[in-house]
Amino acid sequence: MLLPRYVLAPAHLTGQTFGWQLNRDGLFLDCHETFLPDFDRDVEAAMDWAEQIIGTRQDWRHSRAGGPDRWTAVHTHREAGAAVASATTDALRGLEPGTLVVAVGPGGAGKSTFAATAGIVTVLSLDSLREEIGGDAGDQAVTPAAVERQNTLLAEYLAEGIAVYLDSTNVEANIRAGLIEQARRHGRPIVALRFLPHLDTCRARNAARPPNRQVPDDVLLWQHDLARAATPQALIAEGFTAAHDIVTPL
C-alpha cells in the first residue's frame, strides 16, 4: 500500500509545546507550534502553513481511523475551470497541435527542469536566447533582443502548428496578455503551467546557480508574489485555454 504524499497531524513537539507536524511520503518534513487556541481555526491555519511549504493548494481529508487525528492531502486542489496536475507529463497529454505552453513561476521554481524531464522537444528559453545573442545567459542587457528573437520564433512555430514550451518567468499579467494575443492571432490553444514551490526552496536553488544567473532576492520575492496571485482560476480568466499547478519536488 502506497503511503499518502502529505500528512498533517497534531504533534507534541517538546516539553509543554504542542503544534503540527507535516510528513511527506511517511518521512518528517517540517513542524510548527500551535497557531491559534480555537482548534477549528488552528486546523485551518495549519493547512495554510502546510500549503506554503508544499507550494500549492491541497484537498485535505480528515481521519482518525486506527490512530490520532490527521489530515491527508488526497490530491492538489482543483479550482473552478482549471485542472491541476502533478509534475509529470499528465499536464501535457492530449495537447492539440500548435499549442503554446507557458511556464509561469519565479526563478528557481523548476520550469526548465520540468521541460527536460517531461521530454518537451520544442522549448523557447530566454536564458538560452541571451546566451545565443550575447554569450551570457545571465546578461540582462540583451534581454530586449532575446525577447524580440523569442517572439519571432514563437510566431513561426505557431504559424507552422508546432507545439512550443515557453521557458521564462511570465509572472507579469501584461506579458501573459501579449502571449495570449499571439496564440489567438494564430488560432492556437494556450496552456499555462504554474510553478510555485515554497519561497525558501526558490531561494536555495537560486543561490546554487552561477553568479551571473542569480536573481536578486527582492526580485525573486516579487516574482514569487506575482506567481502566487496567478492562480489557475485567474489564468483561465485571463484567457488561457487551460491552466495547471505543477507540483515540483521540494
Side-chain angles (χ1 to χ4, degrees), residues 139-212:
D139 185 359
Q140 298 302 315
V142 300
T143 295
V147 170
E148 183 176 351
R149 177 62 174 155
Q150 170 191 276
N151 290 338
T152 298
L153 290 171
L154 182 57
E156 293 176 3
Y157 290 139
L158 292 174
E160 295 173 12
I162 299 172
V164 58
Y165 177 85
L166 198 59
D167 181 12
S168 43
T169 59
N170 302 308
V171 294
E172 297 175 79
N174 65 310
I175 298 296
R176 296 193 296 269
L179 297 172
I180 292 168
E181 176 57 30
Q182 283 196 65
R184 285 177 174 169
R185 190 160 57 244
H186 291 277
R188 305 299 183 188
I190 179 167
V191 174
L193 304 183
R194 184 176 72 151
F195 297 78
L196 193 65
H198 192 272
L199 179 58
D200 287 346
T201 299
C202 294
R203 282 173 170 156
R205 292 173 179 169
N206 185 52
R209 288 175 167 178
N212 68 321

Side-chain angles (χ1 to χ4, degrees), residues 86-150:
S86 63
T88 66
T89 56
D90 290 349
L92 303 177
R93 289 176 182 165
L95 288 182
E96 295 180 33
T99 298
L100 172 55
V101 181
V102 178
V104 178
K111 303 180 295 295
S112 299
T113 300
F114 177 86
T117 57
I120 300 172
V121 176
T122 307
V123 177
L124 277 178
S125 164
L126 276 183
D127 282 349
S128 297
L129 291 173
R130 277 191 287 261
E131 186 169 11
E132 176 185 310
I133 294 168
D136 184 348
D139 185 359
Q140 298 302 315
V142 300
T143 295
V147 170
E148 183 176 351
R149 177 62 174 155
Q150 170 191 276

